[in-house]
């Protein structure tokens, strides 16, 4: 509630005044245009900012009492323990060409880089490490240094050029064809194939497999490598930072900037039918395609209704938030240097775990992504205490209780972990969806990223619908999941082209 009140207050103090000036300017031109955005996740807010930058009067309607969707920080366990409900670590926000152009630092966003971007403990008590400096990384991976450099340097060195092609919908001709062709050549391979062909060391293979597993694809599926390559390249180009104060700081900075442009955010306002928005020149929906179907009803052409109802959700996640009495007691001490830790053993074991989920089963020894932000940001927990979250992949909508298996994995690499737990909050897929209706069946990627859906989300028209004033702008559109705002920004640009016509 506090976050919501802050947003309302800021709206009253600065936003309305700015909005009035804008209205005056438009009224003088005789062309006041207005827009509504349904959903204040990172993409809804990015879309709203893009429209407001073009002089459109924008109102964002958010169902929940705190804006941010998957980028919210909330006391989920005990008083004073501030947990990231969704996103915690932000290579894609730091590496977003749209966010880069916004004055988010002026609105309080501060990135913290842990000394090591990510650690991956193994059963021998050591950990593979991912660091920002490419030379240091090549030294760390020993015999695999040359291969690591050969694969990753072209992408990390040309990160901003690469984003022009990979963070936009498929554009022909590509802006950087050679770079994109190179990405296609490596990224199209299944991650297990690339890891085994390119790297000799078990540590390097595990490191790469863990990053590729962020794709939610089985590591034997084509294009699973591309996720590992993009995440590793981002680590070397922009790091894997966490925001001081949690992911809410990204949302708050986006909202503050939107308000400075005259935009308005209305929290606790679920939209059930588009008619509730009144007369608007354009509407962006930060929703899943399935929800857009419900919102729009027969306003959509039957072709759209078909393609939206065919859109496939991805696997879900089972997430646990922890309030801890002390830092996680990792056996491999280097793990305490990283905000992100990949737990799940070697490349083979991760591949088995992800294949199970791909086959519609839960894994006996789940691969897990763990974050421990309070080690690097004291604002997350009372003095001397800590927060962490962990999640593993499960089939969409799974009702299986993964907690015992997840904590067995934690004990394997951090003996004594359970004794440090002061409180835990468990989020099976159903409860994640309850907190954010976009997380259908626990899917945090806005839809499966295999087959054609990797490129054509939710179809070849991307953001556009049969109604020229209605656009989809959530992570169900290109470039997909992650806090980067590019889906919202791209959708708004398409909407602006319609408005100009
Ligand atoms: C557990 C978890 C961990 C994650 N970890 C990371 C990470 O570390 N790094 C990273 O980059 N990404 C991470 N993500 C993914 C990231 O959070 C999402 O990709 C991102 O938030 C998608 O943004 P979005 O705006 O498309 O949707 P969302 O963030 O889901 O926002 C959609 C918003 O729209 C609102 N809404 C929907 N329908 C309506 C309606 N009818 N009326 C009003 N409001 C509506 C919802 O309430 C919500 O606030 C994680 C996600 C989860 C859940």
């Amino acid at each position: 509630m506090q976050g919501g009140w802050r947003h309302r207050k800021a709206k009253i103090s600065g936003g309305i005044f700015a909005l009035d000036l804008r209205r005056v300017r438009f009224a003088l031109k005789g062309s006041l245009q207005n827009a509504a955005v349904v959903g204040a996740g990172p993409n809804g807010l990015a879309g709203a900012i893009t429209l407001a930058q073009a002089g459109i009067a924008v109102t964002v309607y958010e169902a929940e009492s705190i804006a941010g969707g998957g980028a919210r920080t909330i006391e989920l366990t005990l008083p004073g323990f501030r947990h990231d409900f969704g996103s915690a670590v932000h290579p894609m926000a730091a590496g977003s060409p749209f966010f880069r152009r916004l004055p988010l630092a002026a609105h309080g966003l501060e990135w913290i880089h842990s000394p090591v971007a990510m650690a991956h403990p193994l059963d021998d008590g050591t950990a593979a490490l991912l660091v920002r400096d490419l030379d240091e990384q090549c030294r760390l991976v020993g015999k695999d240094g040359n291969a690591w450099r050969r694969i990753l340097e072209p992408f990390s060195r040309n990160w901003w050029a690469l984003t022009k092609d990979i963070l936009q919908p498929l554009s022909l001709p590509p802006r950087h064809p050679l770079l994109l062709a190179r990405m296609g050549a490596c990224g199209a391979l299944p991650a297990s194939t690339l890891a085994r062909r390119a790297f000799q060391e078990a540590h390097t293979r595990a490191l790469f497999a863990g990053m590729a597993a962020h794709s939610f694809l089985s590591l034997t599926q084509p294009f699973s490598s591309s996720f590992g390559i993009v995440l590793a390249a981002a680590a070397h180009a922009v790091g894997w930072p966490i925001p001081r104060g949690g992911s809410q700081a990204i949302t708050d900075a986006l909202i503050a900037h939107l308000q400075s442009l005259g935009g308005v955010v209305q929290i606790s306002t679920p939209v059930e039918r588009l008619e509730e928005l009144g007369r608007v020149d354009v509407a962006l929906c930060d929703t899943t395609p399935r929800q857009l179907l419900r919102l729009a009803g027969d306003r959509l052409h039957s072709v759209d209704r078909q393609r939206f109802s065919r859109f496939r959700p991805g696997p879900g996640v089972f997430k646990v938030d922890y309030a801890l009495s002390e830092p996680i007691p990792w056996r491999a001490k280097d793990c305490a240097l990283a905000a992100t830790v990949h737990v799940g053993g070697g490349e083979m074991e991760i591949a088995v775990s992800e294949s199970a989920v791909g086959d519609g089963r839960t894994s006996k020894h789940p691969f897990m992504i763990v974050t421990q932000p309070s080690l690097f940001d004291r604002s997350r927990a009372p003095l001397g205490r800590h927060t962490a979250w962990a999640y593993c992949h499960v089939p969409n909508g799974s009702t299986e209780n993964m907690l015992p298996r997840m904590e067995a994995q934690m004990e394997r690499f951090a003996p004594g972990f359970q004794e440090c737990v002061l409180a835990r909050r468990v989020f099976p897929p159903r409860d994640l969806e309850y907190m954010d209706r976009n997380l259908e069946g626990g899917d945090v990627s806005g839809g499966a990223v295999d087959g054609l859906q990797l490129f054509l989300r939710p179809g070849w028209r991307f953001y556009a619908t049969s109604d020229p004033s209605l656009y989809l702008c959530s992570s169900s559109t290109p470039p997909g999941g992650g806090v980067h705002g590019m889906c919202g920004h791209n959708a708004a640009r398409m909407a602006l082209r319609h408005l100009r016509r």
Side-chain angles (χ1 to χ4, degrees):
M1 281 308 280
Q2 272 173 357
W5 167 239
R6 233 184 9 253
H7 300 153
R8 282 202 177 131
K9 226 166 112 186
K11 183 178 80 185
I12 291 162
S13 59
I16 296 288
F17 178 63
L19 184 66
D20 282 345
L21 288 183
R22 197 166 299 281
R23 279 183 200 284
V24 169
R25 213 176 68 216
F26 270 103
L28 289 176
K29 278 192 193 167
S31 65
L32 179 66
Q33 287 180 309
N34 66 346
V37 177
V38 179
N43 284 314
L45 293 171
I49 289 171
T50 307
L51 293 173
Q53 284 171 332
I56 315 280
V58 188
T59 304
V60 184
Y61 300 93
E62 168 55 47
E64 299 299 321
S65 60
I66 301 175
R72 277 178 290 172
T73 307
I74 311 172
E75 285 185 353
L76 292 170
T77 53
L78 300 173
F81 289 82
R82 295 192 45 77
H83 302 273
D84 285 322
F85 160 69
S87 68
V89 181
H90 294 93
M92 300 315 288
S96 159
F98 178 60
F99 285 178
R100 188 191 189 198
R101 296 199 294 271
L102 304 181
L104 299 182
H107 291 296
L109 178 61
E110 184 192 340
W111 292 121
I112 300 174
H113 291 267
S114 48
V116 167
M118 183 264 286
H120 189 130
L122 291 157
D123 285 315
D124 65 359
T126 64
L129 303 179
L130 178 73
V131 295
R132 189 159 174 192
D133 184 81
L134 181 64
D135 294 331
E136 171 71 355
Q137 183 68 43
C138 294
R139 196 186 60 71
L140 282 174
V141 294
K143 274 195 268 184
D144 292 324
N146 286 340
W148 190 275
R149 187 183 294 282
R150 199 176 58 248
I151 295 171
L152 289 155
E153 191 171 27
F155 305 121
S156 60
R157 194 189 290 158
N158 299 301
W159 175 258
W160 297 109
L162 182 68
T163 59
K164 290 214 163 70
D165 283 315
I166 63 167
L167 297 185
Q168 308 283 349
L170 271 187
S171 62
L172 291 173
R175 271 153 273 201
H176 299 279
L178 291 181
L179 200 57
L180 198 62
R182 200 177 184 124
M183 172 59 85
C186 306
L189 289 175
S192 288
T193 309
L194 180 71
R196 288 174 208 172
R197 268 194 209 158
F199 306 127
Q200 302 172 45
E201 307 268 7
H203 279 55
T204 322
R205 289 178 177 174
L207 194 70
F208 184 75
M211 288 187 284
H214 281 248
S215 63
F216 285 81
L217 295 171
S218 153
L219 302 192
T220 51
Q221 268 178 280
F223 291 103
S224 46
S225 280
S226 62
F227 289 78
I229 293 172
V230 168
L231 284 176
H236 300 314
V238 293
W240 282 24
I242 58 170
R244 187 174 300 284
S247 58
Q248 190 73 48
I250 302 176
T251 298
D252 288 350
L254 288 170
I255 290 179
H257 182 53
L258 174 64
Q259 288 171 334
S260 76
L261 297 169
V264 172
V265 178
Q266 248 176 254
I267 53 161
S268 305
T269 314
V271 177
E272 306 301 345
R273 304 286 299 174
L274 288 178
E275 293 85 72
E276 293 164 25
L277 303 175
R279 272 203 56 190
V280 286
D281 296 294
V282 73
L284 303 187
C285 291
D286 187 5
T287 68
T288 60
R290 196 171 304 168
Q291 289 180 71
L292 182 57
L293 275 175
R294 274 200 298 274
L295 286 172
D298 51 17
R299 195 164 146 179
L300 291 175
H301 191 278
S302 60
V303 175
D304 271 354
R305 289 209 292 272
Q306 252 179 30
R307 81 181 162 116
F308 291 162
S309 50
R310 277 199 208 129
F311 189 73
R312 286 173 294 114
V317 309
F318 186 104
K319 181 194 180 227
V320 189
D321 283 286
Y322 291 102
L324 301 171
S325 59
E326 56 192 84
I328 298 175
W330 300 108
R331 191 183 299 127
K333 299 295 170 219
D334 284 344
C335 292
L337 300 172
T340 308
V341 183
H342 286 168
V343 171
E347 178 264 319
M348 285 278 269
E349 205 182 326
I350 299 171
V352 170
S353 173
E354 295 308 294
S355 291
V357 178
D359 294 344
R361 292 178 284 115
T362 51
S363 168
K364 287 202 173 65
H365 306 287
F367 168 71
M368 290 156 51
I369 298 166
V370 178
T371 65
Q372 41 183 10
S374 58
L375 287 179
F376 314 99
D377 177 1
R378 293 305 322 147
S379 73
R380 309 294 188 95
L383 196 63
R385 306 299 200 205
H386 288 275
T387 57
W389 72 222
Y391 72 72
C392 68
H393 300 158
V394 292
N396 191 277
S398 166
T399 53
E400 189 101 26
N401 178 14
M402 297 300 286
L403 186 66
R405 294 183 225 174
M406 287 173 70
E407 293 199 352
Q409 288 285 58
M410 288 302 291
E411 287 290 333
R412 175 177 158 198
F413 295 102
F417 169 75
Q418 283 164 312
E419 283 151 43
C420 308
V421 177
L422 296 172
R424 49 172 78 69
R425 173 91 178 259
V426 177
F427 286 100
R430 183 194 55 234
D431 293 5
L432 286 172
E433 188 174 341
Y434 178 76
M435 295 279 290
D436 175 350
R437 48 180 87 188
N438 280 23
L439 304 176
E440 288 174 357
D443 174 7
V444 306
S445 303
V449 293
D450 56 357
L452 280 180
Q453 261 185 216
L454 177 59
F455 302 106
L456 306 178
R457 294 166 76 78
W460 64 271
R461 299 183 69 181
F462 305 118
Y463 318 94
T465 70
S466 49
D467 178 339
S469 66
L470 181 62
Y471 296 81
L472 192 63
C473 76
S474 70
S475 59
S476 302
T477 62
V483 175
H484 41 62
M486 292 307 293
C487 310
H489 174 60
N490 295 338
R493 283 176 55 200
M494 194 177 257
L496 284 171
R497 283 200 288 276
H498 156 70
L499 285 178
R500 284 186 192 124
R501 276 202 297 273

